[in-house]
Amino acid sequence: SIDGQPQDSLGHSLRALELVPEDDLFTRSLLMDNLGMVNLMMGDFKTALNNFDNAIGLSQKTGNLMITVGGLCNMAGIWMLQGQLKRAWSANEQALELATDKSGRRLPIAGKALLGLGEIAREWNKLPEAVGYLEEGLQLFQTFGELGSILSYVSLARINEIRGDFAASQEVLDRARELAIKFEASQMDDELVDS
């Protein structure tokens, strides 16, 4: 859990995985994804990558797009932390493609891939592209989830700082802080805004 003890969550998830039948691919994919998040929180990137990869494999068999796209984005996030930006970019592009329907409309889960692409574009100092990805992701997150919106606001604030526009940066951070307080979903969102 985000606010709880990762070690407890690890134990519960492993126990649940033992109890879930092998042919219940949907539940197993959810558990593998959860294990990946727990491993990520514990700093065990190798095991997290393996669990996300397993979750993606299972979710593709059941057609669970949320876990597939989320797993790709989570793997991309780890590769970003490791400085493997091209690999992260590729995973986020793959996730974005999967999260776009045949008419070109983005599904809400695409916000996570757009956030990743925006973060990488910012790292590569491609600021206009970064802003485009982040703003599109932010629009999707506003219908999908508060944490993604907060992450997008924080990244936009960083771009404003790079540009030397500290007033705009503070304004965006204030919006993120208001959202974090409004939702009170976790301590993590408050810490993201204050970092």
Side-chain angles (χ1 to χ4, degrees), residues 7-18:
Q7 202 65 38
D8 292 343
S9 185
L10 179 65
H12 295 308
S13 296
L14 289 170
R15 178 74 178 125
L17 203 53
E18 290 173 6

Side-chain angles (χ1 to χ4, degrees), residues 9-188:
S9 185
L10 179 65
H12 295 308
S13 296
L14 289 170
R15 178 74 178 125
L17 203 53
E18 290 173 6
L19 298 173
V20 172
E22 289 288 327
D23 62 348
D24 186 351
L25 301 181
F26 178 79
T27 303
R28 293 184 76 78
S29 71
L30 294 175
L31 289 168
M32 293 304 295
D33 185 67
N34 185 64
L35 281 169
M37 290 304 295
V38 171
N39 296 131
L40 179 59
M41 289 171 40
M42 295 173 71
D44 185 353
F45 296 156
K46 183 178 179 182
T47 306
L49 285 167
N50 187 51
N51 284 327
F52 287 133
D53 191 47
N54 287 334
I56 291 166
L58 292 170
S59 64
Q60 287 175 326
K61 290 177 183 175
T62 62
N64 185 339
L65 193 60
M66 293 282 291
I67 295 294
T68 302
V69 170
L72 283 166
C73 293
N74 291 334
M75 291 175 79
I78 293 171
W79 290 324
M80 279 182 64
L81 290 171
Q82 295 175 333
Q84 299 180 52
L85 298 183
K86 288 182 181 178
R87 194 171 189 185
W89 181 270
S90 178
N92 279 314
E93 279 189 320
Q94 184 183 358
L96 184 60
E97 185 178 319
L98 289 169
T100 304
D101 70 16
K102 290 180 178 150
S103 66
R105 191 180 45 188
R106 307 273 196 229
L107 304 174
I109 188 66
K112 196 168 182 179
L114 290 162
L115 171 60
L117 292 169
E119 285 282 314
I120 296 167
R122 180 179 55 82
E123 286 292 321
W124 287 338
N125 205 30
K126 296 181 178 183
L127 302 184
E129 292 92 336
V131 169
Y133 287 124
L134 293 168
E135 287 180 345
E136 184 181 355
L138 186 56
Q139 289 175 352
L140 292 172
F141 279 131
Q142 288 173 344
T143 62
F144 181 62
E146 138 282 335
L147 186 57
S149 297
I150 291 168
L151 291 169
S152 296
Y153 279 134
V154 169
S155 194
L156 285 169
R158 289 180 180 147
I159 290 171
N160 285 326
E161 285 179 8
I162 291 168
R163 291 177 169 165
D165 192 344
F166 299 105
S169 179
Q170 188 59 54
E171 182 181 321
V172 171
L173 282 176
D174 288 345
R175 277 189 262 161
R177 190 170 287 109
E178 288 171 18
L179 194 58
I181 291 167
K182 176 182 173 186
F183 282 94
E184 294 181 352
S186 71
Q187 174 115 16
M188 182 187 285

